[in-house]
Amino acid sequence: MRRWKDIPLWKDVSTKEWTDWKWQVRNRVMDVDTLAEVINLTDEEEAEIRDSMKYLRMAITPYYASLMDPDDAHDPVRKQAVPTSNEIRFKDYEMTDTVWETVDSPHEGLTHRYPDRVLFLLTDQCSMYCRHCCRRRIVGQTDHQRSWEEIKEGIDYIRETREVRDVLLSGGDPLMVSDEFLEKVVREIRKIKHVQIIRLGTRTPVVLPYRITPKLVKMLRKYHPIWLNTHFNHPNEITSQSKRAVETLVDAGIPVGNQSVLLKGVNDCPTIMKKLCQDLTWIRCRPYYIYQCDIAKGLEHFRTSTAKGVEIIEALRGHTSGFAVPEFIIDAPMGGGKIPVGPNYVVSMSDKKIVLRNYEGGIFSFPEVEGDRISVCPPKCKLCKDHPELESNEGVAGVLAGKKLCLIPEGTVREARRKAYQKEKKHAGRRSE
Ligand code: SF4
């Protein structure tokens, strides 16, 4: 990391300006000529940047730009911030809205997919436009927040939908709106009795740590419980400033988690990921997810095999603190949702024993319960009667709970055949009456 005063472009910038998040946003690096004053670019690289910016604009905060190695095109920070022509080489299977956020959307900017939580996008603006962004279909399009009227419609939906207990504010980056606007949104959501937690999904602690001000956290802590997830991808992003940002949030009672994306040439290495996860716990940020890179248009060059994610978890589980081990997740296309993938620790099982292997490769057995040790409800417990909303009756959990006998996919040939057969039988029955 270079001191900003060592970069000619910013040598006259005062500490007051540099640490002011609004100055940082106003002075983002958005064109090739300015970027060339910060890092060394070949003519070919400059041409590539100009071409790919037509699809997702470039914006790099001066702070994040100062973390880049000016002479190394493979620098992990630079790869996340500087466009390349790879972004305009599309594959047939790539999609614009890979996870169907706009399909599971009862209102513009609001996605309701999982039973008890919604995703609510406040703005399409981010302080930096990450080159691996899977929401590139919307981010940076207007560089503006949504109007209060649009946001109010989303809040009305949350108010009318009693099963929503968790609201994730995202974008773009929800911390790109002013403290006042954010407070207006959070205050309205907090008034809704059935909303238990409000979450923020923001990359500002990583790319714009000065956004985490005492004023912001003082406002947020009035509306607890507030949770926050951020997005560190490489240990080089953990600096004294990003550490201070995370610590300021945690000291205000806001739990901070991290969602990394597995990126080829950035962090597709067990050792890099181990360093990242350990350093995250050091700054009190809990490694939460590692995402397999989505199949969004223009991201092919960042994608790794899914096996790499499994290998990384293998290198973490048991080899470091349990809370430093995130889950490896594939966000399934077409709204399948987040599916955890990882090494298999169950070797075999019978009704007497389960056979497991540990991180060292040791094989161990564990006895199964028998007879009256099989779980039954405590005699006085009435929780599921008093709170039926807590029961998980959908999906595989619903089958396990005996609420459903099976789950049968729709639209199969077998289903069509069965329906035709039943229809025929019904007609034949009518005819014989
Ligand atoms: S901060 Fe998030 S939404 Fe914004 S560009 Fe980066 S990955 Fe995309």
Side-chain angles (χ1 to χ4, degrees):
M1 177 186 176
R2 289 176 290 171
R3 285 175 67 247
W4 80 85
K5 289 197 182 284
D6 296 335
I7 302 170
L9 177 65
W10 297 311
K11 69 179 179 6
D12 297 323
V13 175
S14 69
T15 304
K16 190 163 180 278
E17 285 172 318
W18 185 263
T19 56
D20 173 357
W21 73 273
K22 291 181 181 159
W23 181 91
Q24 288 275 338
V25 173
R26 274 199 309 276
N27 288 279
R28 291 180 297 173
V29 177
M30 304 224 273
D31 61 79
V32 180
D33 294 340
T34 311
L35 183 65
E37 294 188 55
V38 183
I39 57 173
N40 298 317
L41 295 167
T42 61
D43 291 347
E44 195 185 331
E45 283 168 331
E46 290 193 7
E48 283 192 24
I49 296 168
R50 285 197 178 91
D51 270 356
S52 47
M53 270 167 55
K54 290 175 203 150
Y55 294 87
L56 174 66
R57 62 197 297 178
M58 177 174 72
I60 312 169
T61 58
Y63 162 79
Y64 199 73
S66 75
L67 306 186
M68 296 194 270
D69 181 333
D71 299 313
D72 182 6
H74 300 285
D75 175 75
V77 171
R78 177 163 160 172
K79 285 189 102 155
Q80 293 179 64
V82 176
T84 66
S85 60
N86 290 317
E87 293 178 37
I88 49 176
R89 293 192 192 117
F90 305 131
K91 293 278 174 191
D92 289 349
Y93 59 78
E94 291 177 335
M95 304 180 189
T96 42
D97 179 14
T98 56
V99 296
W100 277 16
E101 285 179 346
T102 45
V103 178
D104 286 325
S105 176
H107 273 284
E108 185 74 22
L110 190 137
T111 302
H112 189 177
R113 167 168 311 138
Y114 301 104
D116 65 347
R117 50 213 184 273
V118 292
L119 166 72
F120 195 10
L121 308 181
L122 300 188
T123 174
D124 74 359
Q125 189 182 26
C126 295
S127 51
M128 185 182 94
Y129 292 115
C130 311
R131 305 326 301 174
H132 55 277
C133 182
C134 62
R135 226 173 255 157
R136 50 181 49 221
R137 71 182 189 280
I138 44 171
V139 298
Q141 294 298 321
T142 66
D143 225 16
H144 278 104
Q145 68 189 43
R146 289 182 188 281
S147 70
W148 178 246
E149 283 61 42
E150 283 175 300
I151 288 186
K152 228 177 120 324
E153 282 184 14
I155 295 177
D156 288 344
Y157 175 84
I158 296 168
R159 190 179 296 107
E160 287 154 16
T161 314
R162 293 191 56 80
E163 59 266 34
V164 177
R165 54 163 280 286
D166 174 358
V167 178
L168 167 58
L169 301 178
S170 186
D173 196 311
L175 291 189
M176 278 299 93
V177 307
S178 68
D179 290 359
E180 292 69 29
F181 192 82
L182 183 65
E183 179 162 21
K184 196 170 164 183
V185 177
V186 172
R187 192 194 301 123
E188 279 306 301
I189 297 174
R190 185 43 79 218
K191 284 182 195 162
I192 304 172
K193 289 259 175 348
H194 54 266
V195 173
Q196 210 172 38
I197 60 170
I198 299 172
R199 279 193 281 166
L200 297 164
T202 171
R203 206 176 182 204
T204 56
V206 186
V207 297
L208 181 63
Y210 309 117
R211 176 66 183 97
I212 310 301
T213 61
K215 180 170 164 268
L216 172 74
V217 295
K218 191 173 171 210
M219 179 278 281
L220 288 174
R221 67 187 304 169
K222 289 194 275 176
Y223 302 98
H224 269 322
I226 303 276
W227 292 59
L228 185 144
N229 268 343
T230 191
H231 178 166
F232 286 93
N233 282 329
H234 192 279
N236 289 5
E237 294 170 332
I238 298 180
T239 65
S240 55
Q241 289 88 337
S242 58
K243 181 171 183 280
R244 181 208 55 81
V246 171
E247 289 175 345
T248 304
L249 291 159
V250 177
D251 286 347
I254 301 171
V256 180
N258 188 64
Q259 307 188 161
S260 297
V261 181
L262 188 53
L263 298 171
K264 189 167 168 50
V266 173
N267 58 14
D268 56 337
C269 159
T271 312
I272 290 173
M273 275 298 191
K274 189 174 192 179
K275 170 95 175 111
L276 174 65
C277 293
Q278 290 180 339
D279 287 358
L280 285 170
T281 57
W282 173 63
I283 64 169
R284 290 186 281 157
C285 177
R286 164 81 155 95
Y288 176 51
Y289 285 156
I290 297 174
Y291 280 112
Q292 173 68 0
C293 185
D294 272 346
I295 51 169
K297 272 195 185 313
L299 297 192
E300 169 72 11
H301 61 295
F302 275 129
R303 295 185 64 227
T304 66
S305 65
T306 49
K308 183 52 76 175
V310 175
E311 181 191 343
I312 287 170
I313 302 300
E314 186 70 74
L316 294 177
R317 172 69 62 204
H319 296 271
T320 192
S321 324
F323 58 84
V325 183
E327 267 189 308
F328 175 50
I329 295 286
I330 297 180
D331 204 345
M334 302 162 87
K338 298 180 184 70
I339 301 175
V341 178
N344 192 359
Y345 295 97
V346 176
V347 175
S348 197
M349 58 207 304
S350 73
D351 56 356
K352 306 259 180 336
K353 276 183 188 149
I354 180 163
V355 181
L356 306 158
R357 63 101 176 169
N358 75 354
Y359 75 101
E360 295 166 301
I363 307 275
F364 303 87
S365 75
F366 194 83
E368 281 291 11
V369 294
E370 292 168 8
D372 62 4
R373 280 177 290 156
I374 285 180
S375 301
V376 288
C377 301
K380 290 190 178 166
C381 180
K382 292 196 298 167
L383 196 60
C384 55
K385 283 205 181 73
D386 295 345
H387 294 280
E389 76 280 4
L390 287 176
E391 289 193 288
S392 299
N393 294 333
E394 290 297 316
V396 180
V399 176
L400 275 183
K403 307 286 177 189
K404 289 188 169 97
L405 207 54
C406 52
L407 300 172
I408 298 179
E410 283 185 356
T412 61
V413 175
R414 183 180 158 212
E415 188 204 25
R417 202 169 44 226
R418 197 172 48 218
K419 277 188 177 161
Y421 179 59
Q422 280 163 359
K423 208 168 153 191
E424 208 176 285
K425 266 203 334 196
K426 213 166 146 189
H427 282 166
R430 276 205 205 112
R431 276 199 300 271
S432 64
E433 277 166 15

